[in-house]
Amino acid sequence: MAYDRCVATCDPLHCGLILNGSLCVRLVVGSWVAVIPVQITHFLLLAFADTRELQLLHFWLFLAIYLAALLGNGLIITAVACDHRLHTPMYFFLLNLALLDLGCISTTLPKAMANSLWNTRAISYSGCAAQLFLFLLLISSEYYLLTVMAYDRYVAICKPLHYGSLLGSRACVHMAAAAWGSGFLNALLHTANTFSIPLCQGNALDQFFCEIPQILKLSCSDADYLREVGLLAFSNFFSFACFVFIVVSYVQIFRAVLRIPSEQGRHKAFSTCLPHLIVISLFISTGVFSYLKPSSISSPDLDLVVSFLYSVVPPAVNPLIYSMRNQELWDALRKLLQYTACYNIIPNLAF
C-alpha cells in the first residue's frame, strides 16, 4: 500500500499503467505467501567447517573436550558421593554443579560431533525442541545453583557460627531443588512459547545447536518475536537479581576475609571462594556477551565462537578450576583411585 501511494503521488500519469490489475493481484498474493507459516520438519544447524578434513578435525577435538568433561565431572561426582568427609553443603552443591555440567555439555556437543562425523546439518523439529528445553533447564539451573553457592560461601565466612543451622541437610536439599525447579519452569516457559511461534523464514539456524535468538529470526511477524523478547526480559530481571545477590555476597565475603588477622586464615578463605568466583565470572561474561552483544559486531562466526565459550568451555573447565587448589578433593580422589587399584589387584592375587 505504501508503494501504491508512492506511485499515485509521485507519478500519477503512469499510475494506471504501473499498477494494473494483474500486478496488484500478484503483489497481494505475494504478500500473503510471504507470511504463511511453513510446516518445518527439521532445522539445519550451522556447520563448523566446509571441508571434510576440517569436519573430522572438529570431531576429534570435540570428542577430546567431551571425554575430558565426562572424566572431570564424573570424578568429582564419584569422590563426593563416596567420601563421607565431603558430605558437607559446599561439596553437595559442587556435586549438583557437576551433574548440571555433564548434562549441559551432553545436550549440545554430541549432536555437533555427530554432524561433523556424518557430514550433515539436520536436526529434527522434535529433537530441536528437546535440545532447547534441556539446554535451558540445565543452564538456568546452573546459574541459580551458582547463586546458592555464593550464599553458602557467604554464610561459611561471614556467619561461621550459624553455618550448621542455616545450611543443614534439609535446607541444602531445598535450595538445590529450588534451583532445579526454577530452571525447569524457565525452560518450559521459553520452549513452549518459542515453538508456538509460526515460522516462515526458512529452517536454517546460524548456530551449532538450537538457541532461542536463532529460532526467533525465523518468525513470521514482529509481534511473535516481541512476545518472546518480553519473556526473555522478564527472565533476565530475575537473573539480574541473582547477579546483584552474588555481587553483594562477595563484597561482604571480601570485607570479612580482609579482617581475618592471620595470613593463613585469609589464604584458606580465599582458596574456597576464588574457584567459585572464577566459574561465575566465566559463566556470566560469556553468556551476557552472547545474548547482549551489539548487532553491529554480530556475525555467524562470532556467534559460533561465543556460544561455544559459554555452552561448552565452562562444563569442561569447571572440574579443573574447583580441584586445582582443593586439597580435600585431591585426597578423596587419591583415596578413591587407591581403593580401585586395590580392588582390582586382590582378585588377581586370589588366583
Side-chain angles (χ1 to χ4, degrees), residues 23 29 72 105 115-116 119 130 137 144 154 178 198 208 226 248-249 269 294 307 326:
L23 179 60
V29 171
I105 199 170
N115 285 355
S116 296
N119 192 23
L137 164 65
Y144 299 137
Y154 165 76
F208 75 98
L226 292 175
V248 171
S249 298
S307 63
N326 192 321

Side-chain angles (χ1 to χ4, degrees), residues 5 54 219 243 254 262 317:
R5 292 301 86 204
L54 286 177
S219 63
F243 175 73
F254 286 135
S262 67
V317 301

